[in-house]
């Protein structure tokens, strides 16, 4: 006889002590992605915000095109384009205040640039010159993350630490749909919800994890529904509707700053270009599918709204395009200059205080470079004490 077969031991329902920890209803995302453009609500949108978003989108599209060209010219080792996803990138940067932190993935260089970073610095990692290429503290942008989703627990840790210190800081962590299949994604969401950390997770669902479609990654109704299992709100938004993404992220950031805890936002968008220059996207998706998404282009959608409200004319469009060309020309000119690299900088920003092993390795490399005639005079870029770059 088993325990459950013993008289009086079996309960047909859970014991009275069991109660849901959280009411799931307020956490559930909308049935359809939230939209503003093309709806009656668009009439109330701030014209200044719309024009600011539009300018960033136009420059972002040109930035993506120029970076892709630099890859073909051998000036970048690889470039994961965010063409088609610019609304997510720009909105993520613009909703944050100066004291907040952005935690990007490898595809989110445009978000870093929209936050104010020098485009050349944002591309340094992809050029192969530095592990990061910029000071994360300068613009509050964490190092670009190539491993999938590993930046998410870091974002939670920073946000939780800031809250413990009493700092009014929010972390916004970006990840692709493929990253939601990683363990780091689930661990980050669980910790964030339990600690009520002031962090916002932005999932850019662009349809594919390289060549794997979303349907082969998850059977969930949407990625936003995954939030409910961790006890945080899930929001579903049209990722090509720039003001809608900005509004949803603004609400989530405000909620986090006010002590309401984390939010998971799924932005439904599309990766128009291939995964990277090493990918042949024609092997797993049709041209017709790509063209259908081109008709839902974030720049076209916003331009249509601005034109309809007479906030944008041909002269204004041309002015934004000219500004984008100037940005691209400057990026092209500076990226075409061969960088002056010092091998000794490998040891400069590893630890705040150099270890004995690093000092020994640096001395060995210095001796080898000196013997080869590649170092002259006192070492300028050798082991120094400094924070990670």
């Amino acid at each position: 006889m088993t325990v459950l077969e013993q008289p009086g031991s079996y309960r047909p329902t859970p014991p009275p002590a069991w109660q849901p920890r959280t009411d799931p209803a307020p956490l559930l995302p909308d049935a359809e992605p939230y939209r503003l453009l093309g709806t009656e609500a668009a009439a109330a949108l701030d014209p200044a915000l719309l024009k600011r978003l539009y300018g960033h989108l136009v420059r972002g599209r040109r930035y993506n095109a120029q970076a892709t060209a630099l890859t073909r010219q051998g000036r970048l080792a690889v470039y994961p384009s965010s063409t088609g996803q610019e609304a997510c990138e720009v909105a993520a940067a613009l909703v944050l205040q100066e004291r907040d932190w952005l935690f990007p993935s490898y595809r989110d260089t445009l978000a870093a640039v929209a936050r104010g970073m020098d485009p050349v610095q944002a591309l340094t990692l992809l050029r192969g010159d530095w592990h990061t290429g910029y000071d994360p503290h300068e613009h509050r942008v964490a190092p670009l993350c190539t491993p999938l989703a590993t930046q998410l627990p870091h974002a939670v840790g920073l946000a939780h630490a800031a809250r413990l210190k009493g700092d009014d800081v929010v972390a916004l962590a970006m990840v692709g749909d493929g990253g939601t299949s990683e363990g780091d994604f689930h661990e980050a969401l669980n910790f964030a919800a339990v600690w009520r950390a002031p962090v916002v997770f932005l999932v850019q669902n662009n349809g594919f994890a390289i060549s794997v479609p979303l349907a082969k990654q998850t059977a969930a109704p949407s990625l936003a529904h995954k939030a409910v299992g961790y006890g945080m709100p899930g929001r579903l938004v049209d990722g090509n509707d720039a003001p809608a993404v900005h509004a949803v992220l603004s609400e989530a950031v405000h909620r986090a700053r006010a002590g309401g805890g984390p939010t998971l936002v799924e932005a439904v968008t599309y990766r128009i270009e291939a995964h990277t220059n090493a990918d042949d996207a024609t092997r797993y998706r049709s041209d017709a599918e790509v063209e259908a998404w081109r008709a839902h282009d974030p720049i076209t959608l916003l331009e249509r709204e601005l034109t309809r409200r007479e906030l944008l004319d041909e002269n204004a469009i041309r002015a934004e395009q000219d500004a984008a060309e100037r940005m691209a020309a400057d990026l092209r000119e500076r990226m075409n200059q061969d960088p002056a690299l010092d091998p000794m900088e490998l040891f400069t920003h590893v630890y705040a205080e150099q270890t004995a092993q690093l000092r020994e390795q640096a001395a060995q490399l210095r001796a080898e470079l000196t013997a080869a005639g590649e170092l002259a005079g006192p070492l300028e870029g050798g082991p120094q004490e400094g924070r990670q770059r």
Side-chain angles (χ1 to χ4, degrees):
M1 178 180 293
T2 67
V3 173
L4 291 180
E5 291 172 337
Q6 295 178 0
S9 64
Y10 175 71
R11 295 189 180 95
T13 59
W18 182 89
Q19 293 292 333
R21 296 184 59 85
T22 306
D23 180 6
L27 307 182
L28 287 167
D30 296 334
E32 294 291 332
Y34 179 71
R35 296 181 178 90
L36 283 174
L37 295 177
T39 71
E40 294 181 358
L45 292 171
D46 178 16
L49 173 62
L50 294 181
K51 289 191 283 188
R52 187 182 181 202
L53 288 169
Y54 179 75
H56 276 284
L57 291 181
V58 172
R59 291 190 295 275
R61 178 64 54 85
R62 188 65 186 88
Y63 167 81
N64 272 313
Q66 185 60 68
T68 300
L70 288 168
T71 305
R72 294 170 180 157
Q73 296 163 7
R75 289 296 180 178
L76 289 177
V78 66
Y79 183 67
S81 174
S82 58
T83 297
Q85 303 177 215
E86 291 94 345
C88 301
E89 301 281 312
V90 168
L94 296 190
V95 298
L96 296 177
Q97 297 185 14
E98 185 176 350
R99 62 186 180 277
D100 297 330
W101 276 82
L102 179 71
F103 283 77
S105 73
Y106 58 88
R107 196 178 299 280
D108 301 322
T109 52
L110 174 54
V113 171
R115 186 146 168 79
M117 185 182 296
D118 181 348
V120 172
Q121 288 186 329
L123 293 174
T124 301
L125 169 67
L126 303 176
R127 196 179 191 179
D129 294 346
W130 277 82
H131 289 302
T132 299
Y134 55 87
D135 180 358
H137 289 270
E138 181 180 357
H139 296 290
R140 300 293 182 102
V141 177
L144 291 167
C145 186
T146 301
L148 292 183
T150 56
Q151 74 275 21
L152 304 186
H154 298 166
V156 176
L158 183 142
H160 180 56
R163 188 172 67 89
L164 292 178
K165 291 171 61 179
D167 292 341
D168 188 16
V169 170
V170 173
L172 193 155
M174 306 177 72
V175 68
D177 52 286
T180 66
S181 298
E182 296 290 326
D184 301 81
F185 170 82
H186 302 277
E187 292 158 6
L189 264 66
N190 192 59
F191 274 118
V194 170
W195 289 338
R196 296 183 67 82
V199 60
V200 176
F201 301 99
L202 173 59
V203 179
Q204 297 179 83
N205 176 8
N206 64 21
F208 294 91
I210 307 183
S211 61
V212 180
L214 184 65
K216 291 187 177 181
Q217 295 183 63
T218 181
S222 74
L223 296 174
H225 277 78
K226 295 180 181 290
V228 182
Y230 297 99
M232 70 177 70
R235 295 298 308 275
L236 187 63
V237 63
D238 183 343
N240 288 17
D241 185 331
V245 180
H246 188 276
V248 170
L249 289 178
S250 294
E251 180 183 321
V253 168
H254 176 76
R255 178 177 180 273
R257 202 183 307 279
T263 302
L264 173 65
V265 178
E266 177 189 355
V268 181
T269 183
Y270 195 77
R271 191 191 73 218
I272 294 295
E273 303 290 344
H275 175 68
T276 67
N277 55 297
D279 173 41
D280 180 7
T282 63
R283 299 180 63 181
Y284 54 84
R285 66 184 188 185
S286 67
D287 291 340
E289 177 179 315
V290 177
E291 290 306 312
W293 276 95
R294 287 189 189 277
H296 196 62
D297 183 271
I299 297 178
T300 303
L301 293 177
L302 187 51
E303 190 174 288
R304 184 182 302 153
E305 176 65 24
L306 287 167
T307 304
R308 185 187 66 81
R309 294 175 57 178
E310 299 183 349
L311 298 172
L312 191 70
D313 56 21
E314 291 185 5
N315 291 332
I317 293 174
R318 190 176 302 111
E320 292 292 357
Q321 293 173 344
D322 290 344
E325 286 300 328
R326 290 192 296 271
M327 177 273 300
D330 177 72
L331 175 60
R332 183 170 58 249
E333 179 182 357
R334 291 193 290 145
M335 289 294 291
N336 282 332
Q337 298 172 4
D338 291 331
L341 302 178
D342 182 354
M344 298 306 302
E345 288 182 338
L346 286 169
F347 307 97
T348 303
H349 299 288
V350 181
Y351 292 106
E353 296 182 4
Q354 292 292 332
T355 64
Q357 291 86 352
L358 278 182
R359 289 195 294 270
E360 180 182 352
Q361 293 168 17
Q364 180 180 348
L365 178 59
R366 185 192 306 113
E368 293 175 357
L369 292 174
T370 302
E374 297 182 22
L375 279 182
L379 176 66
E380 297 181 357
Q384 303 171 13
E385 293 185 1
R387 296 193 178 277
Q388 185 180 9
R389 182 167 180 171

